[in-house]
Each structure stands twice: as structure tokens, then as C-alpha cells.
Amino acid sequence: MKEILDKIKTILSTNTEDFSEPFVEDEMVEAYDEFEMEELYTDIYVLVRNIDEFYGENASQKAALLLESFLLESMVLLKKDPENIVVESGEFYVKATSFTPDGEVVLSVFEDVVLINSMIEYYNDALANNEFPQMEIGIGFATFVKEDMFEEDDECDSDDESCCCH
């Protein structure tokens, strides 16, 4: 977490004109390897609910950079976890899916949620101390069975154009 605190200090202490490009690390390039779907999976979904407060005419560039840094660091944390098989991100969210064959693995994935929650506190403290709006973050954590999401339609007739497989 010291690295996170150092990044927050860097953003707050740097002149906003010095930020020409966002912080991008080589680790952020997403790669999808072949993987076999098995029984249980767990999703972690991190969503910024008040994204509009960080962009627009009255928004501070430093506040936006802190928000972007939080999303980036959340994604890096999730990508480093070997249990995560897919990590996705967008303008206001980060999502990871893990293969979790047993409760022990689910608990190890839950540790990512705890770390992200700690990061939220650090970033929100920095935002509040500089009179910026605080991030309103929702974290979803759900374990589901393969059939819920990955099951194919067994009743699919190859001649039926209304079939979902076409």
C-alpha cells in the first residue's frame, strides 16, 4: 500500500500541466490465454457510481487523476492475482473473473476485495484532504456455477435461424 500512497502524493504534488498522458504500465495490456471453463467462478466488480463529479467544467484534473489512478491500481492488483483468468476495465469500472474450485480459493480472491477497499479509503482520504469529491465505489463479489453463464443451448437446431447459436 506504500506504493499507492506514493502515487497519490505524486499526483497531488505535480503541476496539472505536467500531465500530458495518463499513467500507463506495460502490465495493463490485456491478454486472453486459452483456458478451460470448469465448475465455479467468482466475479469481482468495482464500479465508480459518481463518475460525473470527476469530469466536466467544475471538476479538478487532480481529482480525475486520482480516480483514474485508483481504477488503474485496482486493475493491476487484479491482473497480478494468478486466480483471475479474465480482467476487464472501462471508463468507470474494473471486473475480474476467477476460477474458484473450492472455498479456499474463493477466500484468496476475496482478499483482493479487501485490498481494493483499503485503496478506496486511501484515495478518498486524499480527495477529502484536498477538498475534492470523494469516490462512491460499489464492489460486487459473486460466485456462480458454470451453467449460469457459460452453458450452450443444447436444443439448438443448426437449421433453425431463430436459434441463439446463429
Side-chain angles (χ1 to χ4, degrees), residues 43-99:
D43 277 349
I44 297 173
Y45 190 75
V46 180
L47 172 72
V48 180
R49 294 187 298 221
N50 62 333
I51 192 79
D52 294 335
E53 293 184 42
F54 292 88
Y55 300 100
E57 290 180 28
N58 298 327
S60 166
Q61 185 177 8
K62 283 189 179 183
L65 287 170
L66 286 168
L67 171 75
E68 291 167 8
S69 176
F70 163 73
L71 288 171
L72 202 72
E73 292 305 319
S74 296
M75 193 161 97
V76 167
L77 177 108
L78 293 171
K79 287 184 76 61
K80 286 182 178 178
D81 187 335
E83 304 298 340
N84 292 327
I85 55 176
V86 177
V87 177
E88 306 172 37
S89 67
E91 293 178 32
F92 55 90
Y93 75 92
V94 176
K95 179 185 177 225
T97 301
S98 305
F99 171 58

